[in-house]
Every structure is written in C-alpha cells, then in structure tokens.
Amino acid sequence: MPTIAWLILMYFVWLAIGLVWQSQTVRGPWFFLFRAFFPNWQFYHQVGPVPHLYVRCEAPGQAWSDWQWVYPRRTRSVWNLFHNPWGNRALAEQNLVDHLSSDIKDLGEGQDASRLVTYQLVCRLAAQAVRRLHPGLAQGRYQLEIRLERPIPSGFASSDTVLRSPEMAL
C-alpha cells in the first residue's frame, strides 16, 4: 500500500477515535499551527451570533469615517462553481475573524488580545480593507472592531462589540 494511502487511513482512524472518545478541547502550540488548514467548525455547536469585522479610518485633518463591514456578500454566478479564488479568499479572511473571536473568548474578560497572532493578522487584514475601501488614502489612521451579530432576513437582530482596537497608523 502506498504511503499516501496509509496516511489517509490513519487520518480517518484518528477521526473515528475523536468521534468516540469525548474529552476536553485539545490545545497546545503545535495544534495551533494546524488551525490554518481547517475551518472553524464552531458553527456546528449551536446557532448563535456571527463575528463580523468592521473598519473605519481617518485621513489627516478629516473626521473619522463611518464603520464599514469588511465582508459583505458577493454576487453569485455559475462561473463561481468552477473558479472562485475571490470567494475562497473572502472565506479564509472570515475564518481568520472567526478564529480571533474564538481566541478572545478563550482569553477571558479584560485580557489583552494584542499579543495574539490572530489579532495581528486581522489588523493587517483591516489595514488592507481600509486601503481597498478608500483607494486615495495613503496616510492616516484606522480602527477595527469585531462585533457578534445575530443575522435575520431583514438585517441583524443584535450586535455586541467584542473588541475595538486602538487607533493605528496605516
């Protein structure tokens, strides 16, 4: 049997053991590195609010802009079934925001999230979003905000701010 077949078989055996054996969430520095390969599956646990990323910016000598949602829905097309790199990138970015929200929840109340790797990555994502939303803005400051929002067909039923960053330079 080729090596790849053994690896796939071991993977499914590991999954079967994980389904049968109930324990605490596995944590550790090595498991943290594997998170990049898997989506955040916490949406299967219960229906609840979804973390959304909002940004705002301030150009030199101007007032702060309104908060803007970074991940709005994109239009769908049949072509996206076959080739959709933009949608995949948007899903990866939303997955990063989900991981940050989960990490903040794990930190506990009043803890500093600025040392988290996910926080630093979301800060870079927010800076890119500000540059994309305001193409002429070369200098200035920006802020990001993570909100837990419960969607309903007409908008959002509730919105709770989980994290608001300090003002950062672009």
Side-chain angles (χ1 to χ4, degrees), residues 14 25-38 99:
W14 182 256
T25 303
V26 179
R27 297 182 191 279
W30 293 104
F31 290 109
F32 179 79
L33 296 175
F34 286 117
R35 288 192 334 174
F37 297 108
F38 303 104
H99 279 301

Side-chain angles (χ1 to χ4, degrees), residues 110-151:
Q111 297 293 321
D112 183 26
S114 65
R115 297 181 65 204
L116 295 171
V117 173
T118 50
Y119 176 82
Q120 296 168 9
L121 289 171
V122 170
C123 285
R124 291 181 184 157
L125 173 67
Q128 281 181 342
V130 167
R131 289 185 188 104
R132 186 176 63 241
L133 292 169
H134 304 278
L137 186 65
Q139 296 181 18
R141 298 182 299 174
Y142 73 99
Q143 272 187 303
L144 68 93
E145 188 172 84
I146 304 289
R147 298 180 192 168
L148 287 178
E149 297 180 322
R150 186 176 305 276

Side-chain angles (χ1 to χ4, degrees), residues 39-148:
N40 189 350
W41 295 101
Q42 289 190 354
F43 58 87
Y44 284 123
H45 295 293
Q46 69 182 35
V47 176
V50 178
H52 289 154
L53 174 64
Y54 286 83
V55 295
R56 69 178 183 165
C57 64
E58 178 189 45
Q62 295 182 1
W64 283 96
S65 67
D66 292 333
W67 289 102
Q68 294 178 299
W69 186 19
V70 173
Y71 182 71
R73 293 282 180 195
R74 295 182 63 106
T75 57
R76 297 181 184 183
S77 71
V78 176
W79 175 247
N80 289 344
L81 291 172
F82 305 104
H83 183 71
N84 191 10
W86 306 278
N88 292 340
R89 180 179 177 187
L91 286 174
E93 291 170 351
Q94 181 60 37
N95 189 33
L96 181 62
V97 173
D98 290 345
H99 279 301
L100 176 60
S101 176
S102 177
D103 288 347
I104 290 170
K105 185 177 78 172
D106 291 344
L107 273 180
E109 188 82 22
Q111 297 293 321
D112 183 26
S114 65
R115 297 181 65 204
L116 295 171
V117 173
T118 50
Y119 176 82
Q120 296 168 9
L121 289 171
V122 170
C123 285
R124 291 181 184 157
L125 173 67
Q128 281 181 342
V130 167
R131 289 185 188 104
R132 186 176 63 241
L133 292 169
H134 304 278
L137 186 65
Q139 296 181 18
R141 298 182 299 174
Y142 73 99
Q143 272 187 303
L144 68 93
E145 188 172 84
I146 304 289
R147 298 180 192 168
L148 287 178

